[in-house]
Amino acid sequence: MPPHLSADRPAAQPPRPGTVDALISQTRRLRGEVDAVRQGAPEDGSDPEGRWQRALCDLALHQLRDLDEHLAQLRDGPPPVPAGPPVPPPPSARPASSPGSLLSRVGSAEWNLLTDEASWSGELYQILGRDPSVPALTLDELPSLVHDEDRPLLSTMVTDCLIDGRPIDGEFQILRPDGTLRTVHMMGEPVLAADGSTASMWAVLRDVSELRRHRRTVSETRDSLRHHRNREHSEHRLAVELQEAVLPPWRGPLRLPRQGPGTLDLAARYLPASANTPIGGDWYDALELPEGDMLLSVGDLTGRGVTVASGMATLIGALRGMAVTGAEPGRLLGWLNQMLDASVQPALGSAVCCRYRPATRTLSWAQAGHPAPLLFRGGTGRMLAAPDGVLLGATSGAAYGQAEETLEEGDLLLLHTDGLVPGYSGPAAVRRLLDLAPLFDGTRTAQDCLRTVVEELGESAREDNACVLLARVMSSAAGMF
């Protein structure tokens, strides 16, 4: 990406593991203390205060278990996905918080089986959306509030409690008079008479609608994240395959033209960024033209991913096709600019395009918002003076200037995209590359020079994708490999 188009974005900060572990420890310690309070509560079923205290402790333990589970998920991070570049997570959906505290959403009820009477707390009337002036519903009437799908579940829980003495612990949906559905968590137990028979049933009910909604949101977001990462992984693989299919296939030394004087010894490398960075639009190309001239180019289409890789492939194909017409580099960049400007999906790109004539060792070149070629000769290096040229796709009808340089035997030409020098950009990156001149002077081939670049600048820990193309003018007596 051209340096003036790049932007530093603050990375999302993950939760500190030490902080989360401390919260988990506190939660578990609190669970132990609440459980101790519950065990110390009176177990006499005839004591309403004791029942209420134990019921609230049970609810608190449920809530703390949920909190423990959620904190563990926060500590362990997102679910595993296939290897591939991670992508920043999807935007979080933050549901609106419900009014009221936990206690305002907890009510109690008791159903007397001997008198068929029911007693509800005021909070339970609010949870169920019932008018407090209306008598509480009996156990036989209670299913009328429950959603059709959950009525069998409620009947089973109540039957198990009254007949077998089992505690009630379950959730069901209720339909309020205003038409809204709420999820209610019910915990209850039988109250035994002196002869051991069930005299009544006592329960606490908690509105857990918001809790369940939050839990669904977490689950849906986790599933969305997994799907998003799988898709990103597939797109990354496709982009890599597309790039490999388009960039020149040669991996070892290459000499062009294959016959005649002024042959160029070529070497190039695409250097990807770190594994969690999508592939970009950087490219290099070397093409022998019909009349024996050479076309050298490097460029960078802004953006990342499959769309950019596809655009890069189109750009290279167009440049190769137009170059065989014999057009000069400035004209070629003007045509590329028109193509990007008229594309359905506008894009910006930078490029350097060079035409090398072996017979005269003349290099004609033009640039579009791109770093100029570097020329190394006799142990020193310099950047070629750049002709005028704006980014491809930046403006309609742009004209591109052209410069010319006469090369000598042994000269080394270095073309590159931004990001080649980790931690440096602009003039600082150029100076770092020019400092390699003494090392280049002691090498024999372009492949040796490429190896020097990679060893000195590093092949990993790169923030951006980059590529480099090196061309050394061979001596007339060098012969062929």
Side-chain angles (χ1 to χ4, degrees):
M1 176 181 293
H4 61 282
L5 293 182
S6 63
D8 293 329
R9 298 181 180 178
Q13 296 298 319
R16 290 178 295 175
T19 302
V20 177
D21 286 336
L23 289 173
I24 292 175
S25 298
Q26 293 177 16
T27 301
R28 292 175 179 175
R29 182 168 59 252
L30 184 57
R31 280 177 58 186
E33 294 174 356
V34 172
D35 189 48
V37 172
R38 184 194 183 283
Q39 293 179 7
E43 296 188 5
D44 184 0
S46 62
D47 180 8
E49 183 177 350
R51 291 200 307 267
W52 175 249
Q53 185 176 356
R54 282 186 288 109
L56 284 181
C57 287
D58 287 338
L59 288 175
L61 290 173
H62 271 272
Q63 194 80 354
L64 288 170
R65 277 193 293 269
D66 286 345
L67 179 59
D68 190 359
E69 176 185 344
H70 297 159
L71 287 173
Q73 291 176 353
L74 181 62
R75 177 194 59 196
D76 298 338
V81 296
V87 298
S92 60
R94 190 180 299 276
S97 58
S98 58
S101 65
L102 174 64
L103 292 181
S104 67
R105 291 182 283 121
V106 177
S108 62
E110 184 168 4
W111 290 273
N112 191 311
L113 303 182
L114 302 179
T115 63
D116 200 27
E117 292 178 341
S119 175
W120 290 0
S121 68
E123 291 84 359
L124 184 56
Y125 276 98
Q126 294 180 11
I127 292 173
L128 302 181
R130 303 284 295 179
D131 184 352
S133 63
V134 177
L137 299 182
T138 64
L139 279 179
D140 292 334
E141 297 170 331
L142 186 62
S144 64
L145 295 179
V146 179
H147 192 274
D148 292 346
E149 295 180 357
D150 292 342
R151 286 178 184 172
L153 172 63
L154 176 64
S155 297
T156 299
M157 289 192 301
V158 171
T159 300
D160 290 344
C161 178
L162 298 181
I163 296 179
D164 299 330
R166 297 180 184 176
I168 289 179
D169 189 350
E171 293 180 8
F172 50 86
Q173 287 186 304
I174 58 112
L175 182 63
R176 293 162 55 108
D178 60 6
T180 59
L181 277 174
R182 305 296 292 180
T183 302
V184 174
H185 180 212
M186 183 176 182
M187 298 179 64
E189 56 186 29
V191 178
L192 304 180
D195 60 359
S197 63
T198 302
S200 62
M201 191 186 80
W202 188 86
V204 291
L205 295 93
R206 178 173 55 135
D207 185 345
V208 295
S209 303
E210 295 302 321
L211 177 62
R212 297 299 171 252
R213 188 161 70 89
H214 280 267
R215 184 172 290 175
R216 285 195 302 271
T217 299
V218 170
S219 176
E220 291 169 0
T221 304
R222 183 172 57 246
D223 292 342
S224 175
L225 173 62
R226 184 184 292 109
H227 173 74
H228 184 73
R229 287 189 170 180
N230 288 338
R231 184 182 64 188
E232 287 286 340
H233 179 59
S234 299
E235 289 183 354
H236 178 75
R237 290 179 57 189
L238 178 59
V240 170
E241 292 171 1
L242 180 60
Q243 183 192 60
E244 290 179 345
V246 173
L247 293 182
W250 39 276
R251 292 293 181 266
L254 177 69
R255 291 186 174 184
L256 294 175
R258 304 181 190 279
Q259 295 180 353
T263 299
L264 292 181
D265 179 25
L266 300 167
R269 178 79 64 86
Y270 178 86
L271 297 168
S274 57
N276 61 348
T277 301
I279 197 167
D282 300 71
W283 90 82
Y284 63 86
D285 196 22
L287 177 69
E288 183 176 0
L289 300 174
E291 62 272 27
D293 290 353
M294 287 289 304
L295 179 73
L296 305 177
S297 65
V298 297
D300 182 9
L301 196 62
T302 58
R304 291 187 175 92
V306 174
T307 301
V308 172
S310 176
M312 176 265 291
T314 302
L315 212 60
I316 293 178
L319 181 59
R320 290 172 179 172
M322 293 185 295
V324 299
T325 66
E328 292 296 316
R331 176 65 63 86
L332 292 175
L333 290 183
W335 288 341
L336 288 181
N337 179 69
Q338 291 179 11
M339 187 182 74
L340 282 185
D341 183 57
S343 63
V344 177
Q345 294 181 330
L348 292 175
S350 67
V352 161
C353 183
C354 306
R355 189 182 187 96
Y356 174 70
R357 294 176 173 83
T360 59
R361 297 195 187 94
T362 303
L363 183 79
S364 300
W365 69 283
Q367 63 84 28
H370 198 88
L374 304 181
L375 178 61
F376 297 88
R377 177 183 297 168
T380 62
R382 63 183 174 91
M383 183 173 67
L384 300 184
D388 293 336
V390 298
L391 286 172
L392 300 174
T395 182
S396 300
Y400 292 87
Q402 192 166 295
E404 190 170 290
E405 189 79 23
T406 300
L407 304 182
E408 300 177 2
E409 291 185 357
D411 282 355
L412 177 69
L413 197 66
L414 187 153
L415 284 67
H416 68 98
T417 61
D418 291 311
L420 178 61
V421 185
Y424 294 84
S425 62
V430 171
R431 288 193 297 270
R432 181 72 180 89
L433 289 170
L434 293 177
D435 287 342
L436 300 178
L439 300 178
F440 291 151
D441 193 45
T443 58
R444 293 180 54 254
T445 67
Q447 195 70 28
D448 291 336
C449 295
L450 176 61
R451 192 175 300 110
T452 297
V453 171
V454 173
E455 290 175 352
E456 292 295 319
L457 303 183
E459 192 170 5
S460 58
R462 195 174 303 277
E463 295 182 1
D464 199 4
N465 304 285
C467 63
V468 58
L469 171 63
L470 295 130
R472 168 155 270 168
V473 182
M474 295 182 60
S475 168
S476 301
M480 298 295 292
F481 283 137

